[in-house]
């Protein structure tokens, strides 16, 4: 969770995002108020344009909520001696003092993750080079079984820490296609499991 109420981003960082996904740009900033004051954070916005309504992020929040539900069940079962965590983004709004065209724009805000790696995708690709990637693939398979074949938690990426891993931007593939543009539906679920 953010555990903060404000953050600052330089114009340079907003104009030159340090990372990107298939659908979003990512800029790095600093929390300025709250428990995380002084810590790094990120904001994410759609490549297709800016939004001024928080509802545009509803499916992202819904996917994160479902991912958290699955991850909590995984952790309860203690298949491994480490904990899987997930960054839970919030919809934040650039205030009226923001420069240029940023005033009033909505973004997804969350803590910055160090030691970032991608473990699998929503199309079935998987990294298989060390223990954590194999654990993440197991978590994806677990999600399918725990949901009775209705969902797959995938596109797993995040940071490795001494006793945990922290994930961000998960994808939920569902039979009902209920989790946004990255939810590839039943075809996506089939494709995920066809990959070696």
């Amino acid at each position: 969770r953010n555990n903060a109420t404000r953050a600052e981003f330089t114009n340079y960082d907003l104009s030159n995002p340090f990372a990107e996904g298939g659908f979003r740009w990512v800029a790095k900033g600093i929390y300025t108020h709250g428990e995380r004051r002084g810590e790094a954070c990120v904001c994410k916005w759609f490549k297709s344009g800016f939004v001024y309504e928080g509802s545009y992020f509803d499916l992202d929040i819904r996917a994160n909520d479902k991912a958290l539900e699955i991850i909590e069940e995984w952790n309860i079962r203690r298949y491994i001696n480490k904990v899987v965590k997930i960054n839970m983004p919030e919809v934040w709004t650039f205030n009226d003092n923001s420069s240029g065209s940023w005033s009033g724009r909505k973004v997804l805000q969350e803590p910055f993750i160090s030691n970032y790696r991608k473990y699998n995708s929503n199309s079935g690709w998987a990294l298989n080079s060390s223990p954590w990637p194999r654990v993440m693939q197991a978590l994806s398979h677990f999600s399918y079984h725990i949901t009775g074949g209705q969902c797959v938690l995938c596109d797993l990426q995040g940071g490795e820490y001494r006793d945990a891993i922290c994930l961000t931007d998960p994808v939920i593939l569902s039979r009902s296609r209920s989790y946004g543009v990255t939810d590839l539906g039943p075809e996506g679920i089939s494709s995920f499991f066809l990959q070696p």
Side-chain angles (χ1 to χ4, degrees), residues 47-63:
K47 288 180 174 180
S48 59
F50 292 104
V51 297
Y52 296 90
E53 294 294 327
S55 61
Y56 283 96
F57 294 107
D58 286 351
L59 294 178
D60 293 285
I61 301 297
R62 185 175 186 191

Side-chain angles (χ1 to χ4, degrees), residues 146-163:
I146 201 71
T147 63
Q150 295 303 302
C151 298
V152 175
L153 169 63
C154 59
D155 200 18
L156 300 178
Q157 55 205 315
E160 300 171 14
Y161 300 91
R162 187 175 47 84
D163 58 354

Side-chain angles (χ1 to χ4, degrees), residues 23 46 59 122 179-184:
F23 295 93
F46 292 110
L59 294 178
N122 61 343
Y179 296 95
V181 295
T182 55
D183 180 353
L184 304 177

Side-chain angles (χ1 to χ4, degrees), residues 65-115:
D65 288 344
K66 184 66 175 178
L68 178 61
E69 177 186 314
I70 293 166
I71 289 168
E72 285 175 340
E73 186 62 36
W74 168 271
N75 287 333
I76 286 169
R77 294 174 185 234
R78 296 187 176 161
Y79 292 118
I80 60 172
N81 64 350
K82 304 205 185 294
V83 175
V84 177
K85 299 179 180 183
I86 184 170
N87 259 352
M88 296 300 287
E90 296 171 346
V91 178
W92 281 23
T93 306
F94 276 85
N95 65 29
D96 293 339
N97 298 329
S98 302
S99 64
S101 59
W102 285 90
S103 178
R105 290 185 177 175
K106 307 276 187 196
V107 295
L108 286 178
Q109 179 77 24
E110 65 185 56
F112 175 76
I113 293 178
S114 308
N115 309 313

Side-chain angles (χ1 to χ4, degrees), residues 122-142:
N122 61 343
S123 63
W125 170 86
L127 182 65
N128 198 20
S129 61
S130 66
W132 272 122
R134 290 191 290 274
V135 169
M136 293 298 96
Q137 198 66 358
L139 175 57
S140 290
H141 284 254
F142 170 82

